[in-house]
Amino acid sequence: MQLTYRQERWRCVCAGLLETAGNTFLLLLAVRHFQAGSVAKALVAGGGSGGLLLSPLAVNLTHRLGWPLTRAASRILFLGFLASVVAALCPRDFAGVYAVGCVLALASASTVIPLMTQVYQDNYPVEQRGQLYSRAFMLRILAAIVFGFVGGQWLEPDPWVPHLLPGVITALEQFPDRFRLVLLTFAGALAVASWAVHRIPSEPFRQPAAAHPLSGWRFVHTDRWFRQALIA
């Protein structure tokens, strides 16, 4: 339990950084630095949601291959790291490559959600599960707030910054492509998250229901409240 909680805190900090990527920075950079068209911007904006759509497939493949849950999640996050590096280093004229890299990076972070949910169920005691999860999630919120501010100041400092830190504007002007450091920071967050998850002990899926990627749809028929929530 202690190892899981320690590594999960690392993952949550990285998830906080990635949350600012999906909500703000990647779309802003697509417009400002890559002059992305409407299709590319739509792909970047929907990257995280695409990962949720892919999560049943990830569960199915993890079950079929017999991989431990955290090994599968770690590999998915590492693929996201590679995609984010491509997005960070691609030329400004390749908005499509940037968009695809962003989509894969954001999708990797959300695809692992059901895998990690099962890890919490297996590794955390029932009476402490909610408390441990909420504590780690607070780190995610804090990381998102801090990096949202720091990343924004790095890209475009507020007028008061030169008075507080003399020479900051002059120093930043020496790096016209400094936005790439923000993208590489997101890549680093995915790499650290992959490492953190890989060290968490886990076992393969044991539930037979995981063998089919659409097995959860049976609840649409059997659970009236779930069906009404979907309709709403």
Side-chain angles (χ1 to χ4, degrees):
M1 182 188 73
Q2 293 299 325
L3 177 60
T4 300
Y5 180 56
R6 182 168 65 249
Q7 297 302 112
E8 174 63 9
R9 286 184 294 181
W10 279 103
R11 190 190 72 86
C12 280
V13 170
C14 296
L17 271 64
L18 295 170
E19 187 172 340
T20 65
N23 293 338
T24 305
F25 287 110
L26 295 183
L27 189 58
L28 173 65
L29 298 178
V31 174
R32 180 173 298 182
H33 296 284
F34 290 91
Q35 287 74 50
S38 57
V39 174
K41 289 186 289 187
L43 288 174
V44 173
S49 300
L52 295 176
L53 293 175
L54 291 174
S55 59
L57 179 60
V59 171
N60 176 254
L61 290 176
T62 301
H63 179 271
R64 288 180 179 274
L65 295 173
W67 286 348
L69 302 179
T70 53
R71 180 187 300 177
S74 177
R75 290 175 176 177
I76 293 172
L77 291 170
F78 187 77
L79 291 177
F81 158 71
L82 296 178
S84 59
V85 170
V86 171
L89 300 180
C90 76
R92 293 175 184 243
D93 297 334
F94 291 84
V97 176
Y98 170 80
V100 171
C102 291
V103 168
L104 293 176
L106 293 173
S108 69
S110 53
T111 299
V112 302
I113 290 176
L115 302 178
M116 295 307 301
T117 301
Q118 184 63 41
V119 171
Y120 304 147
Q121 183 174 340
D122 292 342
N123 291 8
Y124 286 161
V126 175
E127 62 277 6
Q128 299 181 26
R129 189 177 298 156
Q131 183 181 37
L132 293 173
Y133 176 80
S134 61
R135 286 179 179 178
F137 196 82
M138 290 301 296
L139 291 176
R140 173 174 178 161
I141 296 172
L142 180 61
I145 294 173
V146 172
F147 189 78
F149 174 77
V150 173
Q153 295 304 315
W154 173 255
L155 292 174
E156 189 172 332
D158 287 332
W160 55 264
V161 173
H163 301 286
L164 184 64
L165 301 171
V168 168
I169 297 297
T170 303
L172 291 181
E173 288 175 350
Q174 305 302 316
F175 301 95
D177 281 352
R178 60 181 178 270
F179 71 92
R180 297 191 186 277
L181 183 60
V182 175
L183 295 174
L184 289 174
T185 301
F186 294 140
L190 282 166
V192 173
S194 177
W195 162 81
V197 170
H198 183 74
R199 294 200 61 206
I200 297 176
S202 69
E203 298 179 357
F205 269 118
R206 295 186 297 272
Q207 297 88 336
H212 195 284
L214 299 180
S215 60
W217 282 100
R218 70 185 186 277
F219 294 112
V220 176
H221 175 70
T222 60
D223 191 324
R224 182 169 65 91
W225 294 109
F226 179 63
R227 183 168 59 251
Q228 291 179 354
L230 291 177
I231 294 173

